[in-house]
Amino acid sequence: MSQFGAPSESHTMELADGSTIPLLGFGVWQIPNGPECVQAVQAALDVGYRHIDTAQAYGNEESVGEALRRSGVPREEVFITTKFLPSQEDAAREAAHSLGRLGLDYVDLYLVHWPQGGATRAWPGMEEAHRLGYARSIGVSNFDVTELETLMGVAALRPSVDQVQLSPFHYRRTLVNAAREQDLVVEAYSPLGTGRHLSDETVRRIASQIGRTPAQVLLRWCIQHGFVVLPKSTHQDRIQENARIFDFNLSPADMSELDALDQTGGTHRAQERKWW
Ligand code: A2P
C-alpha cells in the first residue's frame, strides 16, 4: 500500500546494533486479547504500519500474531516488539513463551518492561534471549538516567532502546539527552497522553492553524524530535489519521511552543510514580 503521507521504508532509524526500526509503531497497550486487537492490528498493517509494539503484560501477544498472519504481510517486513514482564524470573525463558504466543520464531526487539529488582536484574536473561536468536535487538523501558548508567556499566550487549512515556507534556529532556549520549534510540509511549492531550488548547490551536488534527500534531512533535512513536487506537479512521504524519512539518515556533508545555521540568526520571 502506499498512501500520501503514510509510513514508508525511508521513515526508519538505525539502532546502535545496526538494525533498522520504523519510526511509527502501532501500540496495543489496553487492547484486550481477541477480535478487537486482531482487527486493530490488521487495520494498522493495512494502512502501512510496519511496526507493532506489544508486551507480555498486555496479554495480547496472541492477537498480534494472529493479525500478522491474517494480514498476509511477510513477517520480515514487520518490526515486532515485545517486553519481558520483570516480575517473572528469567527473560530468556519468557521470550520463548512470548514467541509461542505470537507464533513467531523471533521478535525484532525485546525490552525489559520496567526496572523491577534493579536496573541489571533482568539483563543476563535478555542477553541470553538475544544469543539464542529469540530477539534481534534488546533494550529497556521506563529506565531513568541512573538506571541506564548502571546497566551500561555491566552490559556485555548494550541496550539499543529506552521506551518511555513522552509527549510535549512529558518531554523529560534530561533523560532523552542522557539516552542519546549512550547511543540509545528513544521511543515514545502514550504520545497522546492516552487521549488526554488531544483537547489541550495549544495543541488544538496549532492543529487548526496548519490544517491537521491534534493527534497528528502530537505525533509529529515526536517525529521531529527523533523519537520512535507508538500511538494506540482501535478505530480504523484514527489508525489511518495517526499514520499521516510524514507529509508536513511543524515550524520551529510551533515546536518551541509545544516544548514549553512540558510539566516534568525536563526531568531525568522515566516515571513520576513508580508502580513496581
Ligand atoms: P481509541 O482507541 O478509542 O481510538 P496513546 O496513544 O497516548 O495511548 O492514546 C490512545 C488514546 O487516544 C486512546 O484512548 C485512543 O482511543 C485515543 N486516540 C488515538 N488516536 C486518536 C485520534 N487520532 N483522535 C482521537 N483520539 C485518538
Side-chain angles (χ1 to χ4, degrees):
M1 90 105 245
S2 132
Q3 265 174 26
F4 186 60
S8 79
E9 276 169 35
S10 61
H11 302 130
T12 59
M13 198 180 267
E14 198 169 312
L15 300 178
D17 63 16
S19 301
T20 300
I21 185 167
L23 286 171
L24 174 68
F26 185 66
V28 297
W29 179 43
Q30 291 183 328
I31 312 183
N33 202 38
E36 194 182 17
C37 186
V38 175
Q39 275 163 26
V41 173
Q42 260 193 289
L45 291 167
D46 279 353
V47 301
Y49 291 66
R50 288 296 177 267
H51 175 179
I52 313 292
D53 183 276
T54 183
Q56 288 187 333
Y58 303 168
N60 55 19
E61 290 168 313
E62 281 144 0
S63 296
V64 169
E66 174 73 22
L68 179 59
R69 282 185 295 282
R70 284 200 202 172
S71 73
V73 179
R75 161 68 187 100
E76 61 278 10
E77 288 180 18
V78 186
F79 190 99
I80 305 276
T81 298
T82 196
K83 311 185 192 82
F84 169 56
L85 179 63
S87 56
Q88 300 296 311
E89 183 133 345
D90 177 26
R93 191 169 59 222
E94 294 304 321
H97 292 155
S98 283
L99 292 176
R101 288 185 291 267
L102 285 158
L104 299 176
D105 53 15
Y106 69 93
V107 289
D108 297 274
L109 180 61
Y110 189 41
L111 304 179
V112 181
H113 207 153
W114 57 84
Q116 185 167 327
T120 61
R121 206 281 296 171
W123 203 249
M126 298 295 289
E127 291 177 337
E128 180 69 358
H130 176 265
R131 197 187 64 75
L132 292 167
Y134 297 161
R136 299 244 161 120
S137 299
I138 55 176
V140 297
S141 182
N142 296 300
F143 275 45
D144 67 18
V145 170
T146 310
E147 286 152 350
L148 286 180
E149 281 167 3
T150 305
L151 178 55
M152 289 299 183
V154 303
L157 181 62
R158 293 159 65 91
S160 297
V161 161
D162 192 7
Q163 182 182 126
V164 293
Q165 180 202 29
L166 280 175
S167 74
F169 303 83
H170 296 93
Y171 186 5
R172 309 184 192 283
R173 234 181 264 234
T174 308
L175 175 55
V176 167
N177 292 340
R180 293 212 163 126
E181 273 164 31
Q182 305 273 11
D183 263 347
L184 294 167
V185 163
V186 177
E187 295 189 327
Y189 75 71
S190 301
L192 311 175
T194 62
R196 290 188 314 281
H197 303 332
L198 295 165
S199 54
D200 177 82
E201 255 178 53
T202 304
V203 173
R204 287 168 62 98
R205 178 174 37 77
I206 292 173
S208 94
Q209 278 163 359
I210 63 174
R212 291 287 172 161
T213 67
Q216 288 169 332
V217 167
L218 290 165
L219 300 175
R220 183 70 203 175
W221 177 87
C222 288
I223 297 293
Q224 286 184 218
H225 273 302
F227 308 144
V228 168
V229 66
L230 305 167
K232 169 262 175 186
S233 176
T234 50
H235 293 88
Q236 198 181 0
D237 51 342
R238 293 173 174 176
I239 291 169
Q240 197 152 19
E241 171 189 330
N242 296 348
R244 292 208 182 103
I245 53 173
F246 295 102
D247 61 342
F248 72 103
N249 279 300
L250 295 168
S251 70
D254 291 341
M255 287 297 286
S256 302
E257 206 175 340
L258 292 165
D259 289 352
L261 297 174
D262 177 43
Q263 296 168 350
T264 72
T267 187
H268 64 284
R269 291 175 196 273
Q271 274 299 324
E272 280 56 57
R273 263 178 303 122
K274 297 193 173 183
W275 62 82
W276 60 93

